[in-house]
Amino acid sequence: MGAAFDTIAFKGSLCDGCGDCMTACSSAKKGASRLSIVPGASEKVFELAICRQCGDPKCAMVCPSGALAKDGGSGVIGWDADKCIDCLLCTAGCAYGGIAVDPGISRVAKCDMCDGDPACVKSCPTGALEYRKAGSIYNEYGGKEDLFVPGLSGCLGCNSELIMRHTMRKIGRNSVLATPPGCIPGMGSVGYNGKTGTKVPVFHPLLTNTASMLAGIRRHYDRIGRKDIVVMALAGDGGTADCGFHAVSGAAERGDKILYICVDNEGYMNTGMQRSGTTPYGSWTSTTPVGEHMKGKTQDAKNLPMIMAAHKCRYVATASTGYMEDLYEKLDRAVEASFEGFAYLHIYSPCPTGWRVPSSKVIEACRMSVESNFVTLWEYTPKTGIRFTRSPDNALPVSAYVKMIGKYRHLSQDQLDHIQAKVDEQVALLKVMAADSPPPPAAHRPPAGSSTPAGGETSQTSLRREISRN
Amino acid sequence: MPEAKYLLVGSSHAALEALRSIRHFDPDGSMAMLTRDVYRPYSPTILPYVVSGRSKPAAVMLRDEAFFEANNCAFVPEAVAQSLDAKARTVRLENGESWRYERLLIATGAAPAIPPVKGIDDVRFHVLRSLEDATGLRSAMGSSRHAVVLGAGLVGLHAAENMAEAGLKVSVVEMQGHVLPGYFDAKASERIEAAFTGHGVKLYLNHKVVAVEPRDGGHSCAVHLEDGKVLQADLLLVATGVRPVTDWLNGSGIAVDKGVLVDEAMRTNVEGVWAAGDVAQAVDFHTGQPALIGIIPTAVEQGRIAGQGMADDPYVKAYPGGIPVNTYRFFGRVALSIGQAAASGDVEVSEHDDGGYRRVVLSDNRLVGYASVDEPFDVGIMGELIRRKVDLTAVKDAFIARPVETGRRLMSEQWR
Ligand SMILES: Cc1cc2nc3c(=O)[nH]c(=O)nc-3n(C[C@H](O)[C@H](O)[C@H](O)COP(=O)(O)OP(=O)(O)OC[C@H]3O[C@@H](n4cnc5c(N)ncnc54)[C@H](O)[C@@H]3O)c2cc1C
């Protein structure tokens, strides 16, 4: 049985009630639509009834004929037309309206996910319906060789460990891995007692020289004619944005053929949760404490992936483990680009320990950070420029994200307003860079008493000019 | 002596669900399922379809051997429980064998209740509860022309329809004034009754059988009604209701009223013994009193709770009380009912009667019952609104005008 399943997801805030999904479903299934969009509590709000393909399907439990059963491979609750006696007890089992009478045939009908290619999703013009394939990704890569030792000493629920194991399962054995100081080597990937913690060559550069060392390794492989080795780093945000930045910037500027993955948990988490250059404004860290006078970090984070895009690397992208299919596509493109030039992948990685998030909520935090635009998913190539891989439109307010994260528990309304304004400003700027759109509104000033450097308030028009000049 | 940590007596909906929830929590504890049946598990609900020929007897089994192997459960057919010694923790079978248990589930379901009609022991009659009953009735149908059915409940009506469709002349005798009493109000029942009459079935409502006597040397019988009418039958089906199978518990110390009395965790009064399904008398959601509600949804829910308790699953939730549910098909049409759908008096009733018929029953702006004929609705959603006592004040007009759409909306909001 598969460990995880693909699902049809519904984002109500994007639905405009057009009904195209229902038309598509009923024409694909030649009968009544198996999902129904209904008017919601207020105007322009819509709700959905559809089979949730439950793990614990009550429709099947009450079926007297054995006509309903969950498929262990696809997760779909299948309906056997021959066994079904049309007693309709299943409609009494389902509390979602996911299996209902099709009046045309007087039999029940339910969503079968169109064999993994749902007609409703394809017809949805707003993106409210999405087919999420994280399930099959987990199943596929879960079966591949794990290139790290079991029993890494990451914290419970560590998102970085998830990223490491997934990434290396995807990239495979033909790789040389650098893990500069941070959680990733800290949890044991470089190994102990003369043994490595990985099944690929791994080394532990200084915080400051990761990209430079990788550049040399790539040149060595080039010289001996090995064109198939992925030369890569799994680095933290400190080693990338702060102490290691000159090396990263230099390698990018030279176009060294490296895959550089920055796992951004917004601070120096393994040494005791100190702030870094990517720690967002307002965050509690051990060096930006919360007390009577200080209320967390007083500067805004630097947007490292945008800085890398300004280097005109071969490939730059942001990703999140809340959106695995997106992450995997970007990994593919990044690996490919790393044979031609500098490829930079920035993966946002909530830290349950340092951010004070329950380990069970880490993936939800990933999703909320994206749904609120706190972080955005996009990619850049010199040819195509910046392109959003997930629309930043119709975002949730950033408060919805911030309130899940313990390191923001103390935030005042002023601070929250500042974060929201910063988020809006970032998105507006990205939109400008992504397309010919009207110039964004001016940035919100941080609350009095904060020490945001003057550079943080550069107007977007000038930044835009600066970037396009680059 | 064979023994099992978990001993399940009965192999139908309640016992199967208990098996599932035990294994959810305890994959290893030894388990055995004893059943009177010769066959692997099947549902009594499928029997009308075996009678009609739509379902083949060999194709109605709900689980195969591989299932029992995979779940590490010994399946023991033809094991009729005869007595229970709760002190020694043993169940004695009709064949003399005894099973020892640590935890016992009583899931012996219900059996047809035979009314004390004069002469009933002297005539041949059918019932419908087991696969043998169904195949027996099917073959008897082939050689009969006049059928009389006692009782116009679910079982009686299903069989009456089967026989009418097979070309028999069918009469149904029912003491009450309408068919399917309790589930439907008079208007809904009348639609169903009209369908039966339209298909040539004679309904004797408000009629009582006082005696039956054999005719033709036992090949047929005469059914005497209280008002003096006499119906001739070469096929007599008794479908006047069911009673829980509790005879094997006599003398065991297990408290039995109409069925086995259980608390909100499906525990009987005796330690280490649970009961679930048609055999159990658990609390009724509406009255809060113990009641018999012999339907699959309650058997499944009770079986799950009992299994969780038996396996010491800490996530077990108390039984919220049984809600009557009826999804009924007749001559291809649909009649559905949930909750107090036939209630009148202290409740607010809204009826719609154009094309389809529906009856929505509210109390204190909360749904308490819903029935329809020829107008399907999401029974599970309405059941959830009833169970959660969702306040409909803000959406009442929409709910009454468009209950299906509004129900879907409300549940979608709740599930977010
Ligand atoms: C014709 C018909 C139509 C029905 N239609 C519907 C419907 O539409 N909707 C609905 O919800 N319900 C319907 N029901 C009722 C439904 O089938 C029951 O509620 C359900 O089967 C109860 O399950 P259970 O596990 O409690 O017991 P049962 O299904 O009664 O099973 C009892 C089990 O115990 C075994 N057993 C009995 N005595 C002994 C013994 N002494 N020793 C060992 N084993 C024993 C039997 O072999 C059987 O396996 C219908 C029933 C019938 C007969």
Side-chain angles (χ1 to χ4, degrees), chain B residues 4-339:
Chain B
K5 176 170 184 186
Y6 305 106
L7 188 65
L8 315 175
V9 183
S11 62
S12 184
H13 293 287
L16 286 172
E17 191 58 24
L19 184 167
R20 206 185 64 87
S21 63
I22 291 170
R23 280 294 176 248
H24 198 66
F25 200 71
D26 177 1
D28 303 317
S30 63
M31 191 190 310
M33 179 179 277
L34 310 184
T35 182
R36 182 176 56 194
D37 269 305
V38 183
Y39 308 101
R40 277 186 279 103
Y42 62 85
S43 172
T45 300
I46 199 143
L47 299 176
Y49 304 88
V50 173
V51 173
S52 73
R54 176 164 174 180
S55 299
K56 299 282 165 276
V60 300
M61 308 314 166
L62 292 172
R63 303 286 188 278
D64 56 14
E65 264 160 44
F67 169 84
F68 288 101
E69 242 165 70
N71 281 278
N72 189 15
C73 173
F75 179 70
V76 189
E78 294 182 85
V80 184
Q82 200 173 37
S83 63
L84 166 66
D85 184 341
K87 281 213 181 63
R89 299 208 175 205
T90 55
V91 172
R92 195 178 159 75
L93 307 184
E94 222 171 53
N95 64 12
E97 203 176 44
S98 285
W99 277 76
R100 201 195 308 277
Y101 65 82
E102 195 180 301
R103 292 142 200 236
L104 174 71
L105 177 70
I106 299 170
T108 43
I114 309 304
V117 170
K118 200 174 131 206
I120 192 88
D121 293 333
D122 307 323
V123 300
R124 274 207 293 201
F125 64 86
H126 290 262
V127 294
L128 186 56
R129 185 75 191 188
S130 69
L131 200 49
E132 289 89 348
D133 295 340
T135 49
L137 180 58
R138 179 163 169 79
S139 69
M141 252 163 57
S143 54
S144 307
R145 293 178 46 220
H146 296 276
V148 172
V149 176
L150 306 191
L154 268 184
V155 178
L157 286 193
H158 269 301
E161 176 178 340
N162 291 159
M163 295 192 283
E165 296 283 65
L168 280 73
K169 295 236 165 318
V170 184
S171 308
V172 179
V173 186
E174 168 61 51
M175 260 171 30
Q176 309 236 24
H178 284 290
V179 300
L180 298 174
Y183 285 118
F184 295 102
D185 66 306
K187 276 192 205 154
S189 298
E190 275 157 19
R191 284 194 177 221
I192 299 169
E193 290 154 11
F196 274 86
T197 316
H199 282 80
V201 176
K202 276 217 157 64
L203 296 177
Y204 292 91
L205 302 172
N206 291 313
H207 276 75
K208 201 173 163 187
V209 176
V210 289
V212 290
E213 55 175 326
R215 290 276 161 90
D216 272 346
H219 286 297
S220 63
C221 66
V223 179
H224 296 271
L225 306 186
E226 202 171 33
D227 64 358
K229 279 196 199 79
V230 182
L231 310 175
Q232 299 297 329
D234 46 11
L235 193 163
L236 177 65
L237 177 77
V238 177
T240 46
V242 294
R243 51 165 190 81
V245 178
T246 58
D247 43 346
W248 64 286
L249 302 171
N250 291 341
S252 66
I254 303 272
V256 176
D257 175 28
K258 286 185 231 146
V260 177
L261 290 166
V262 289
D263 64 8
E264 75 291 339
M266 299 297 129
R267 285 179 299 221
T268 68
N269 63 319
V270 172
E271 212 208 298
V273 184
W274 285 256
D278 282 14
V279 74
Q281 190 175 347
V283 69
D284 176 291
F285 180 81
H286 181 62
T287 63
Q289 298 301 312
L292 295 176
I293 303 182
I295 52 172
I296 295 178
T298 52
V300 166
E301 188 166 13
Q302 295 178 4
R304 189 185 69 245
I305 292 171
Q308 286 181 291
M310 292 170 77
D312 296 323
D313 183 336
Y315 294 105
V316 61
K317 288 211 183 100
Y319 184 60
I323 297 177
V325 179
N326 190 347
T327 63
Y328 176 55
R329 304 300 297 267
F330 58 107
F331 302 104
R333 289 163 63 184
V334 181
L336 304 169
S337 129
I338 184 156

Side-chain angles (χ1 to χ4, degrees), chain A residues 10-13 36 38-42 46-49 52 55-56 58 61-66 81-89 91-97 99-101 106-107, chain B residues 13 17 20 42-43 45-46 49 54-55 59-62 296-297 300 304 325 327-329 332-334 336 338 376-381 384 404-406 408-413 415-416:
Chain A
F10 177 62
K11 194 171 170 193
S13 58
S36 79
V38 294
S42 53
F46 296 90
E47 301 287 343
L48 170 72
R52 317 274 174 123
D56 203 15
K58 290 225 168 59
M61 291 177 202
V62 299
C63 173
S65 68
D82 292 334
K83 278 193 177 168
C84 176
I85 53 173
D86 300 328
C87 72
L88 307 185
L89 264 165
T91 69
C94 178
Y96 303 99
I99 184 162
V101 180
S106 226
R107 306 197 76 180
Chain B
H13 293 287
E17 191 58 24
R20 206 185 64 87
Y42 62 85
S43 172
T45 300
I46 199 143
Y49 304 88
R54 176 164 174 180
S55 299
V60 300
M61 308 314 166
L62 292 172
I296 295 178
V300 166
R304 189 185 69 245
V325 179
T327 63
Y328 176 55
R329 304 300 297 267
R333 289 163 63 184
V334 181
L336 304 169
I338 184 156
F377 64 88
D378 303 313
V379 184
I381 286 182
E384 208 56 29
V404 171
E405 180 187 296
T406 313
R408 286 179 179 179
R409 168 195 144 187
L410 291 170
M411 287 325 291
S412 174
E413 286 169 357
W415 292 120
R416 272 284 164 69

Side-chain angles (χ1 to χ4, degrees), chain A residues 296-365:
Chain A
K297 195 184 174 199
T298 51
Q299 301 86 9
D300 292 311
K302 57 171 120 169
N303 190 326
L304 200 56
M306 281 170 83
I307 295 169
M308 295 315 290
H311 281 70
K312 296 194 164 177
C313 302
R314 184 58 61 117
Y315 186 74
V316 178
T318 62
S320 161
T321 47
Y323 297 83
M324 272 297 190
E325 49 281 68
D326 180 69
L327 191 158
Y328 269 93
E329 280 174 19
K330 287 171 177 170
L331 251 179
D332 263 340
R333 288 197 274 273
V335 169
E336 210 182 285
S338 76
F339 290 104
E340 287 156 8
F342 197 84
Y344 179 81
L345 187 56
H346 192 98
I347 309 180
Y348 297 104
S349 185
C351 167
T353 310
W355 295 20
R356 309 291 193 241
V357 192
S359 55
S360 61
K361 296 278 185 210
V362 168
I363 296 296
E364 206 174 315

Side-chain angles (χ1 to χ4, degrees), chain A residues 233-250:
Chain A
L234 278 169
D237 49 284
T240 310
D242 300 346
C243 355
F245 182 66
H246 70 281
V248 175
S249 177

